[in-house]
Amino acid sequence: MLELNIRLIGNDEAIPYDLLLSADPSEQALMAYLPYSTIYVAYLQDKLVAQYVLYQIDAQELEIKNIAVDDAYQGKGIGKLLLEDATLRANDAGYKTLSIGTSNASIGQLYLYQQQGFELSGVKMNFFIDNYTEPIFENGIQCKHMIMLTKVLINDTL
Ligand code: ACO
């Protein structure tokens, strides 16, 4: 069982740019949403191993804008724990939905997000072509479109 400590990043703590850029290679995109977002960092003992970023779309909806686990710690269930943590925080804060977007080529991420209860809610056509200067490939497929997935939170049904 992983003893993962997930918490809000401290004011004086360094922003984990390496992790952020592993999930979103565009510095320009990062700089557009980071000032309006909240970063949560995950530690295994004193080692920073992962982070995720929450961004408020409106009073009803939060979006996970960025999520990344250090390469050496991937495949151990940390991504799942981060998604559970984000869900709990969004639910406790009274949001109705939590969304996340990934590319059409991100097969593993699409698997993980659906496994964790996120369902297809939209497609931002040509998002990666229109907003990124360099073509991006994953699994040998070009990232062209942003697939949006949304989870309806429990407090919505109370
Ligand atoms: N390819 C294949 N399967 C995957 C992948 C992948 N890239 N990522 C997760 N999975 C599967 C696992 O095999 C596992 O399946 P199982 O439950 O059937 O055994 C399940 O998803 C859960 O995996 P975790 O171990 O919890 O995931 P992990 O800790 O590796 O974190 C993450 C997943 C965050 C995608 C990590 O691989 C990562 O940081 N990747 C690089 C950055 C990235 O792509 N971030 C997401 C971009 S989209 C965005 O930021 C909104």
Side-chain angles (χ1 to χ4, degrees):
M1 190 65 181
L2 287 171
E3 291 286 332
L4 194 67
N5 174 21
I6 308 174
R7 59 164 176 77
L8 186 63
I9 195 168
N11 284 334
D12 52 355
E13 214 168 332
I15 293 178
Y17 282 113
D18 286 355
L19 283 170
L20 288 160
L21 287 165
S22 75
D24 187 344
S26 166
E27 264 181 59
Q28 205 184 347
L30 276 183
M31 291 314 155
Y33 60 75
L34 276 186
Y36 309 102
S37 302
T38 313
I39 302 175
Y40 292 87
V41 284
Y43 281 83
L44 272 178
Q45 295 179 327
D46 57 356
K47 165 82 182 155
L48 173 68
V49 293
Q51 63 74 36
Y52 72 86
V53 174
L54 289 181
Y55 175 87
Q56 184 186 45
I57 302 290
D58 57 35
Q60 317 285 323
E61 182 174 15
L62 269 189
E63 180 177 341
I64 302 171
K65 276 281 189 193
N66 189 305
I67 180 168
V69 175
D70 183 311
D71 285 354
Y73 293 85
Q74 288 177 14
K76 299 177 189 301
I78 293 175
K80 238 186 246 186
L81 292 173
L82 297 182
L83 292 169
E84 285 171 10
D85 189 78
T87 301
L88 278 175
R89 289 183 199 272
N91 195 58
D92 288 352
Y95 289 94
K96 291 190 173 170
T97 55
L98 178 64
S99 59
I100 190 162
T102 195
S103 94
N104 57 287
S106 305
I107 310 300
Q109 291 84 338
L110 286 167
Y111 165 78
L112 170 61
Y113 302 155
Q114 290 178 86
Q115 185 198 51
Q116 291 305 301
F118 292 84
E119 293 192 7
L120 181 68
S121 55
V123 180
K124 295 180 183 173
M125 295 300 289
N126 296 314
F127 181 87
F128 293 95
I129 292 173
D130 295 343
N131 293 288
Y132 288 72
T133 50
E134 300 289 326
I136 311 169
F137 286 83
E138 263 185 65
N139 303 303
I141 303 165
Q142 187 173 2
C143 301
K144 292 184 180 174
H145 317 297
M146 173 84 88
I147 311 293
M148 296 303 303
L149 301 108
T150 299
K151 186 191 265 194
V152 176
L153 300 170
I154 296 164
N155 68 40
D156 192 44
T157 57
L158 292 179

